[in-house]
Amino acid sequence: MPAFRGKGYGRLLMNAIIRKAKEKGYHSVLLDTATPMKAAIRLYQSYGFRETRPYHTYAFADILFMKMDLQDAIIPDCNC
């Protein structure tokens, strides 16, 4: 939603998700996003997500699958 972009909410959520996944003993986090969502992809990359092979299929083709190994997780400071 455009009204919420650029306010740091994405970073707050990512920080919480990564911390909780580590607490629970997960080894990696998977996500998928539409390729036109360039700002979201940059956010994910800033946390250490990298492109990975598809783990399921969609009816549309412009989906990017990403994975982050939690041992390599980057949790940047959030000045939100």
Side-chain angles (χ1 to χ4, degrees):
M1 298 185 68
F4 296 101
R5 290 185 184 144
K7 303 213 185 292
Y9 297 127
R11 289 203 179 278
L12 285 172
L13 289 169
M14 287 297 294
N15 290 351
I17 290 166
I18 292 168
R19 283 190 182 103
K20 186 57 75 172
K22 283 183 164 191
E23 286 173 17
K24 297 282 186 180
Y26 286 91
H27 299 283
S28 62
V29 177
L30 297 170
L31 67 80
D32 50 83
T33 189
T35 55
M37 298 183 67
K38 301 298 184 197
I41 293 168
R42 283 190 302 275
L43 172 69
Y44 304 143
Q45 290 172 332
S46 76
Y47 277 86
F49 280 88
R50 299 293 171 247
E51 190 170 349
T52 191
R53 62 178 166 56
Y55 45 85
H56 59 84
T57 58
Y58 280 104
F60 36 91
D62 62 344
I63 298 297
L64 177 65
F65 294 86
M66 301 184 87
K67 178 180 179 179
M68 178 184 58
D69 292 320
L70 287 173
Q71 67 187 21
D72 302 327
I74 301 164
I75 303 179
D77 290 332
C78 182
N79 299 322
C80 310

